[in-house]
């Protein structure tokens, strides 16, 4: 998808965005009786200069309390003479920077600004207190290891990539709706954006191929299918596209639909012609008519092609999806035939 004729923007498989980080460590201490689970969703990434600030008594309300209504704010209480503070500060700065704006770090020198740590009951340093919605919710003391700092921030802001995953899911839902509404180009742009963020997202890859098929570019869809990593091809969404491409290829070999309709007019029991016409109509997008032809065969002769009409209809369901109106309607009618 990286050629210059690609209408979707970006390459077929772009690099993933965002940074992941992990690690394990000891549990943080609770603070103020509140739960960090009440932290709001992380804000969009902001410049690093806004992620780490030096705060003062006068600036505490703006730097910490007001900011904590947008995203969690960690306050690092330190002093120049404190050896453990010098160990912790570069560690916590590193992890906060890697969080990409999910949290903010405000550093306060308690020698210069003793009133606020005094009000909070800070008796030893380094001490880190997390604020959410204008109040302290959690904290820890001492020069803890990097893994514990990471765990503490994940507890506040959620696991790494959580916001990205939610955005991707929302984009996929929107793209699916656009494709169903016939806005193929718009849907393809969203699928392309997701693939740039997550190059192994099977739903996005399947959606992009569905867009190509809708635009009549089945050859490019087939090329994209062939280029997918093997581990992706077993995904149900990819399998559905694979089946659809096979159906399109088969339909091209089944003859002229007008001639098939004429054959059925002359002999309504020509089940082979009816089956072929159903396959062609399915590829053309007339799902209701395709299903009706297969159901007609079943009503007349369940033994035809060893119950081939039912098997073909089930294959259509696989491609259409369980929520498609044509699937719901045809499945209901299929049940009435099977259990009558």
């Amino acid at each position: 998808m990286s050629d210059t004729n690609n209408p979707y923007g970006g390459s077929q498989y772009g690099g993933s965005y965002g940074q992941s980080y992990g690690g394990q460590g000891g549990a943080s201490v609770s603070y103020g009786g509140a739960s960090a689970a009440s932290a709001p969703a992380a804000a969009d990434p902001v410049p690093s200069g806004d992620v780490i600030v030096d705060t003062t008594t006068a600036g505490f309300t703006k730097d910490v309390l007001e900011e904590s209504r947008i995203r969690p704010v960690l306050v690092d209480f330190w002093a120049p003479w404190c050896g453990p503070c010098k160990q912790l500060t570069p560690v916590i700065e590193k992890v906060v920077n890697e969080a990409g704006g999910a949290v903010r770090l405000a550093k306060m020198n308690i020698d210069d600004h003793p009133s606020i740590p005094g009000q909070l009951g800070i008796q030893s340093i380094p001490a880190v207190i997390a604020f959410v919605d204008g109040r302290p919710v959690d904290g820890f003391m001492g020069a803890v290891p990097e893994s514990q700092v990471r765990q503490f921030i994940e507890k506040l802001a959620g696991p790494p990539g959580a916001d990205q995953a939610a955005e991707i899911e929302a984009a996929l839902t929107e793209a699916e709706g656009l494709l169903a509404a016939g806005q193929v180009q718009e849907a393809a742009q969203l699928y392309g954006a997701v693939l740039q963020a997550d190059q192994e997202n099977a739903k996005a890859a399947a959606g992009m191929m569905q867009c190509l098929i809708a635009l009549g570019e089945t050859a490019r869809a087939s090329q994209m299918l062939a280029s997918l990593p093997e581990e992706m091809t077993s995904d149900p969404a990819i399998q559905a596209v694979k089946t659809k491409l096979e159906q399109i290829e088969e339909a091209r070999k089944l003859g002229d639909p007008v001639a098939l309709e004429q054959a059925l007019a002359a002999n309504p029991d020509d089940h082979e012609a009816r089956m072929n016409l159903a396959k062609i109509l399915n590829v053309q997008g007339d799902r209701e008519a395709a299903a009706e032809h297969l159901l007609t065969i079943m009503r007349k002769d369940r033994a035809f092609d060893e119950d081939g009409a039912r098997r073909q209809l089930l294959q259509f369901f696989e491609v259409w999806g369980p929520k498609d109106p044509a699937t719901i309607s045809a499945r209901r009618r299929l049940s009435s035939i099977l259990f009558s």
Side-chain angles (χ1 to χ4, degrees):
M1 305 294 293
S2 60
D3 59 72
T4 56
N5 295 322
N6 178 13
Y8 316 123
S11 62
Q12 177 177 338
Y13 297 110
S16 60
Y17 61 82
Q19 287 183 298
S20 297
Y21 57 90
Q24 300 176 349
S28 58
V29 296
S30 61
Y31 189 88
S35 169
S38 62
D44 291 337
V46 295
S48 59
D50 191 49
V51 170
I52 300 175
V53 297
D54 289 297
T55 191
T56 63
T57 302
F60 191 84
T61 297
K62 180 177 182 296
D63 293 338
V64 177
L65 301 184
E66 292 180 4
E67 180 71 19
S68 71
R69 301 187 187 282
I70 302 172
R71 55 181 167 173
V73 177
L74 310 184
V75 183
D76 177 14
F77 295 99
W78 68 283
W81 46 263
C82 171
C85 295
K86 296 176 181 179
Q87 297 175 16
L88 176 65
T89 297
V91 172
I92 196 169
E93 287 182 349
K94 173 188 175 186
V95 178
V96 167
N97 273 321
E98 289 177 351
V103 297
R104 173 187 248 192
L105 173 64
K107 298 184 293 181
M108 175 169 277
N109 182 336
I110 68 169
D111 285 351
D112 294 339
H113 306 280
S115 62
I116 288 177
Q119 292 170 18
L120 292 172
I122 302 297
Q123 297 180 346
S124 64
I125 55 173
V128 175
I129 306 300
F131 284 75
V132 172
D133 288 334
R135 60 194 180 96
V137 297
D138 208 347
F140 63 84
M141 296 183 182
V144 302
E146 181 177 326
S147 60
Q148 187 171 332
V149 174
R150 291 184 187 279
Q151 184 183 54
F152 183 78
I153 290 177
E154 286 182 26
K155 181 181 176 183
L156 287 168
D163 288 344
Q164 177 182 334
E167 291 173 4
I168 285 177
E169 192 60 35
L172 289 172
T173 299
E174 183 180 355
E176 183 179 352
L178 289 169
L179 182 57
Q183 296 176 262
V184 182
Q185 296 281 3
E186 292 84 353
Q189 288 173 359
L190 279 176
Y191 284 129
V194 172
L195 285 173
Q196 286 185 334
D198 180 5
Q199 58 187 351
E200 294 186 358
N201 190 296
K203 286 185 179 180
M208 181 65 84
M209 289 186 287
Q210 293 282 17
C211 290
L212 289 169
I213 292 171
L215 292 170
E217 299 185 37
T218 55
R220 291 182 67 188
S222 296
Q223 291 171 1
M224 182 173 175
L225 177 63
S227 72
L228 294 178
E230 184 177 352
E231 58 270 19
M232 287 179 63
T233 58
S234 60
D235 186 275
I238 302 295
Q239 284 294 310
V241 174
K242 180 175 181 291
T243 301
K244 186 171 186 176
L245 287 168
E246 291 171 349
Q247 291 173 351
I248 292 172
E249 185 60 30
E250 181 184 11
R252 288 172 176 166
K253 304 173 184 177
L254 297 178
D256 180 10
V258 175
L260 292 172
E261 289 174 351
Q262 292 174 346
L264 284 175
N267 179 14
D269 291 330
D270 187 344
H271 299 325
E272 183 176 358
R274 192 177 295 278
M275 178 82 83
N276 290 343
L277 182 57
K279 294 177 180 179
I280 294 173
L281 290 172
N282 168 57
V283 168
Q284 292 177 342
D286 194 346
R287 296 176 175 180
E288 290 79 7
E292 177 59 36
H293 280 298
L294 296 178
L295 292 167
T296 297
I297 295 173
M298 290 187 64
R299 283 192 293 264
K300 291 189 173 187
D301 185 1
R302 286 286 304 278
F304 173 73
D305 192 25
E306 299 180 349
D307 204 16
R310 182 186 64 84
R311 290 185 284 107
Q312 184 61 63
L313 188 57
L314 293 179
Q315 191 181 83
F316 285 173
F317 293 164
E318 178 186 338
V319 174
W320 299 347
K323 297 182 181 179
D324 189 277
T327 299
I328 296 171
S329 174
R331 196 181 292 280
R332 186 182 303 115
R333 294 163 67 194
L334 173 62
S335 297
S336 67
I337 293 174
L338 294 175
F339 301 108
S340 61

